[in-house]
Amino acid sequence: DCRDLPAPEPLMRVLEAVAQIQQDEAVVMLHRQKPCLLFSKLDERGLDYQMEEFQDGSVKVLIWKKGSCKPVI
């Protein structure tokens, strides 16, 4: 949950977490806004993601390795 963290901590924490995921594992990021800078970094690392945006502007981003089954939460 990165909603209360100042920039660039959310980006740094998520990149640290995804560096450790194995095949068929996932990371869930909760953030107060769309993390636009994150998506290109995930693409560079061969990761897939799906974002769900809520009415208050906050988001949930599900991140997993390409080639893995898409996680269900």
Side-chain angles (χ1 to χ4, degrees):
D1 188 344
C2 298
R3 290 176 283 196
D4 294 328
L5 298 176
E9 283 186 59
L11 177 65
M12 292 169 48
R13 286 194 184 188
V14 169
L15 292 178
E16 288 172 8
V18 298
Q20 299 177 26
I21 62 173
Q22 302 298 313
Q23 203 71 15
D24 298 322
E25 292 182 339
V27 170
V28 176
M29 174 191 201
L30 300 175
H31 198 7
R32 66 185 168 276
Q33 62 189 19
K34 185 177 177 180
C36 297
L37 297 176
L38 175 64
F39 301 130
S40 63
K41 296 190 179 301
L42 296 176
D43 291 335
E44 291 169 4
R45 289 163 172 79
L47 299 165
D48 273 331
Y49 53 89
Q50 179 180 352
M51 186 185 76
E52 181 179 356
E53 193 164 2
F54 302 103
Q55 286 184 333
D56 66 357
S58 66
V59 297
K60 176 172 69 173
V61 182
L62 179 62
I63 305 163
W64 67 97
K65 286 191 172 195
K66 287 186 180 181
S68 293
C69 292
K70 179 182 169 188
V72 177
I73 294 183

